Amino acid sequence: MSQNYTMNPSLRSILSIIFILIGSMLYAQSSLSASDSFFKDTIVTSKFKVSIGGQMRLNGFYDFNALQNSESFNITNIPTGASNTSPRFALSVRQSRISLDAGYKSEKFGNIYTFFEGDFLGDGPLDFRLRHFWIGIKSFRVGQDWSAFCDMDVWPDVIDFDGPPTGAWARSAQVKYTKQIENFGHFAVAFESPRASITEVPVVDSTLTSTFQGAPDLTSHLNYKGDWGHIQLAMVLRRINFLVEEKTLANNAGGLSLSGHFMLGKKDKFLYQANGGSGIGSYLVSFEGGGYDAVTKGGKELSNIKSLGGYCAYEKWWSDQFKSTLVYGYMHLETEIGYTIDDTFNGHYSSANLFWLMDENLTLGLEGQYGSVNDFSGQSGDAARIQFMLLFNF
């Protein structure tokens, strides 16, 4: 008697990645050239240079007040009011990553390169999630990458996977142009895939609903750097489409971000990021996808949610093997309607950690985190977490 078998989607994703990486290695090794080099772990072919890497990451969490997301300390998930506050412990390897670099030199376009990276933080327990997949040609980068509104040079060394939850960290499909400026830094501008997230409130206006977005987001930044550190000014402009009685309307939205770091001695540094705007919740790590861009206002209108916040961090090296990072962050959101008790959201976040660099590729870390919120319903709550990490880069 025969029996049909359907492979689990999570297992299928993992096996697909393994087959792709193995296939790339076998192809590359078939024409290995000892006379060329890329990195020590790079496979060199007659045309391509391929580097395979990643990290195995074990994370452990103990929540004194149970958050709704065991993978990151998201301040919107802090229990408020009568929500569950029982403690919880969890272990996870879902934040582990696999990456692949490949490139070659074109006679017509010069160096052409691509980067692929993913983790296992998809919808299922071990579903694969694409983080980056882009191609670089001259000054252009096309594909999925960090938004030009973000500044990855101010991501502090923290264990929490999403970084400070009051920061602007977003990835999107995009077409980005970067111009290097001699003795200054660089300028970048991008057209990015729109990802508006709206909170619909039928009791306020049942005729208003979400719809498709009709134009890309425009993002850009100017980055100035020197031996002392760097400073970056970024902006985003966007249109948020919504539907009222089968008619498409739109709100203008946008925001600014100021970020940077400065050195305190040879290795210690101070980092900061400040963000503000109207309808930019999709670019804020704790609020992306949660309906924090705009909300039903009534009278067939949509109200952009205003935001102001950011964080600062201090990284201290105690020795060549031990380092710590202190972080404080704040975020304020505000609406212009009166269907809630407060119409404002205020969140605070702080963390402190200690890293032990056991080996060139092996790191052990311990981190304490605390956050508090007063949400749009006027209720307050707080949460505390102890987190540890074992990280092996390969």
Side-chain angles (χ1 to χ4, degrees), residues 22-330:
I22 292 176
S24 300
M25 294 170 65
L26 293 176
Y27 168 76
Q29 287 176 339
S30 66
S31 54
L32 186 64
S33 171
S35 62
D36 206 351
S37 63
F38 191 54
F39 296 113
K40 64 180 181 180
D41 57 347
T42 297
I43 300 165
V44 184
T45 76
S46 58
K47 188 173 184 179
F48 288 91
K49 297 178 181 179
V50 181
S51 177
I52 299 172
Q55 56 181 229
M56 184 293 230
R57 180 175 178 139
L58 173 67
N59 281 71
F61 319 85
Y62 182 82
D63 289 317
F64 296 91
N65 302 35
L67 295 170
Q68 303 304 309
N69 183 342
S70 63
E71 297 293 341
S72 62
F73 197 103
N74 188 316
I75 58 176
T76 62
N77 290 333
I78 293 177
T80 59
S83 300
N84 176 31
T85 58
S86 60
R88 177 180 55 186
F89 175 79
L91 288 171
S92 173
V93 296
R94 299 177 66 205
Q95 298 177 14
S96 301
R97 304 179 191 176
I98 295 176
S99 63
L100 183 147
D101 294 270
Y104 77 102
K105 189 171 184 178
S106 165
E107 294 182 0
K108 186 174 183 180
F109 297 104
N111 292 327
I112 298 177
Y113 50 95
T114 185
F115 178 68
F116 166 88
E117 183 186 61
D119 56 34
F120 303 93
L121 284 168
D123 295 332
L126 279 175
D127 279 356
F128 181 76
R129 182 184 70 159
L130 181 66
R131 290 174 54 84
H132 299 273
F133 201 176
W134 50 259
I135 180 172
I137 305 175
K138 291 185 178 294
S139 298
F140 288 92
R141 183 173 291 185
V142 180
Q144 178 158 305
D145 193 20
W146 291 111
S147 168
F149 185 65
C150 305
D151 184 357
M152 299 316 299
D153 290 333
V154 297
W155 188 301
D157 284 337
V158 293
I159 295 177
D160 193 271
F161 191 63
D162 280 338
T166 54
W169 320 110
R171 292 182 295 268
S172 68
Q174 61 189 261
V175 177
K176 179 162 58 182
Y177 172 80
T178 302
K179 172 66 175 178
Q180 300 296 327
I181 305 173
E182 188 176 358
N183 299 322
F184 186 91
H186 72 270
F187 168 78
V189 61
F191 290 105
E192 304 190 16
S193 177
R195 48 187 182 278
S197 182
I198 297 171
T199 296
E200 301 174 21
V201 188
V203 296
V204 175
D205 190 342
S206 61
T207 66
L208 190 150
T209 59
S210 302
T211 188
F212 298 110
Q213 301 305 303
D217 291 356
L218 174 64
T219 60
S220 69
H221 68 250
L222 181 65
N223 186 297
Y224 173 62
K225 64 175 57 179
D227 294 338
W228 51 270
H230 87 282
I231 185 171
Q232 176 171 299
L233 179 64
M235 70 109 197
V236 54
L237 296 175
R238 56 200 311 239
R239 294 270 285 175
I240 302 177
N241 284 5
F242 58 99
L243 203 63
V244 177
E245 297 177 344
E246 305 304 320
K247 182 179 180 181
T248 301
L249 303 175
N251 280 7
N252 293 321
L256 296 173
S257 177
L258 180 67
S259 58
H261 85 279
F262 53 85
M263 301 301 299
L264 301 172
K266 293 183 178 180
K267 300 176 72 173
D268 299 348
K269 64 178 68 173
F270 180 82
L271 308 99
Y272 61 92
Q273 185 185 75
N275 312 295
S278 172
I280 63 169
S282 291
Y283 288 84
L284 307 176
V285 65
S286 281
F287 305 93
E288 180 182 4
Y292 290 97
D293 284 325
V295 63
T296 303
K297 182 177 182 179
K300 307 185 188 309
E301 293 185 21
L302 189 72
S303 174
N304 291 352
I305 296 177
K306 297 179 175 62
S307 61
L308 180 65
Y311 69 89
C312 58
Y314 172 56
E315 293 184 359
K316 171 66 178 178
W317 284 84
W318 304 105
S319 68
D320 290 340
Q321 286 189 298
F322 292 92
K323 62 180 297 187
S324 295
T325 305
L326 298 175
V327 179
Y328 171 75
Y330 171 75

